[in-house]
């Protein structure tokens, strides 16, 4: 099973609402994770993507990316805080993309985690609508041994 | 049908993920809306409430409260931005509570809406765990004619 399949299976098994949302791993290249979800399961009263689902998919893209990055570690990942800006409606399927931060920040995060068994890191996710950024998300995630 | 029943029916009909989450109206007194959802449908990998579901329930409590307040108006309500802080895990069922802001701010919002057909308002929601605030949410909602 590929890493992408493992994280999808993990999400579906451990966080059941991801099954109801139809969350899928669309892309993973070791640096960036893209999660998708169909519009039908995540639609709002205006026929566009529901803000709650957009936020959830962004959270999961950060969570999943960190889990893939730390997969050999015995750790739990939780979200501490986040902010999100809904700049345009999302009219088609949902796709949340999260990339690892610059190498220096990632190394600092891992070093702190190894030394103290706890470290936090800020991750940014975006969701596009027809090639234009529609949603900007930023979350602080904590890894705990 | 009571107002509380109407908003629950509206959410389930128009935003299908609310059915999968098991969202219910727990309380509504004209000033404050409390929405609930069972833990089982909204659990995470640690056996506590999933952050994505907590945020969604908080969004819905603000959205629902505003919808109840403006129910005689022909308008759409959307969320523009929000921030959330997860301060403690939520170990039981989820309950998000949102109260109307002070009378002056609410009157200003309504006046702007009537004059321009568009107005924004900030609403705060909280989620408790065993009587202690566990999650603080703040969102900006926009009402559009």
């Amino acid at each position: 099973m590929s890493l992408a399949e493992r994280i999808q299976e993990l999400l579906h098994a451990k966080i059941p609402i991801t099954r109801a949302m139809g969350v899928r791993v669309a892309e993973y290249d070791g640096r960036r994770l893209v999660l998708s979800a169909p519009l039908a399961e995540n639609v709002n009263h205006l026929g566009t993507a529901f803000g709650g689902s957009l936020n959830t998919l962004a959270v999961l893209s950060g969570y999943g990316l960190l889990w893939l990055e730390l997969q050999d570690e015995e750790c739990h990942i939780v979200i501490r805080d986040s902010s999100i800006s809904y700049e345009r409606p999302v009219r088609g399927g949902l796709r949340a993309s999260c990339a690892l931060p610059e190498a220096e920040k990632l190394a600092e995060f891992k070093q702190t985690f190894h030394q103290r068994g706890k470290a936090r890191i800020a991750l940014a996710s975006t969701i596009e609508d027809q090639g234009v950024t529609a949603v900007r998300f930023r979350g602080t995630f904590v890894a705990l041994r």
Side-chain angles (χ1 to χ4, degrees), chain A residues 122-135:
Chain A
L123 295 176
S125 295
T126 55
I127 296 173
E128 294 189 351
D129 179 66
Q130 297 169 334
V132 181
T133 299
V135 178

Side-chain angles (χ1 to χ4, degrees), chain A residues 21-101:
Chain A
M21 287 176 64
V23 175
R24 294 276 178 276
V25 172
E27 294 173 32
Y28 176 61
D29 63 5
R31 288 279 313 159
R32 195 170 71 104
L33 176 66
V34 182
L35 298 182
S36 68
L39 182 62
E41 283 83 344
N42 298 289
V43 74
N44 68 11
H45 53 297
L46 300 173
T48 60
F50 171 48
S53 290
L54 290 166
N55 181 83
T56 295
L57 202 64
V59 169
L60 291 168
S61 69
Y63 169 75
L65 183 66
L66 216 51
W67 183 85
L68 288 162
E69 187 63 22
L70 297 175
Q71 53 163 321
D72 295 329
E73 315 285 350
E74 288 214 348
C75 76
H76 292 306
I77 301 160
V78 295
I79 184 163
R80 179 63 182 80
D81 55 56
S82 67
S83 60
I84 187 165
S85 172
Y86 304 92
E87 299 176 4
R88 295 161 176 263
V90 174
R91 300 189 153 80
L94 293 65
R95 281 172 68 92
S97 171
C98 186
L100 288 173

Side-chain angles (χ1 to χ4, degrees), chain A residues 104-125:
Chain A
E104 201 178 319
K105 279 192 181 161
L106 186 63
E108 193 182 307
F109 164 74
K110 286 184 173 177
Q111 193 184 355
T112 304
F113 178 70
H114 288 140
Q115 284 171 353
R116 302 186 197 164
K118 183 178 178 177
R120 62 177 56 198
I121 191 164
L123 295 176
S125 295

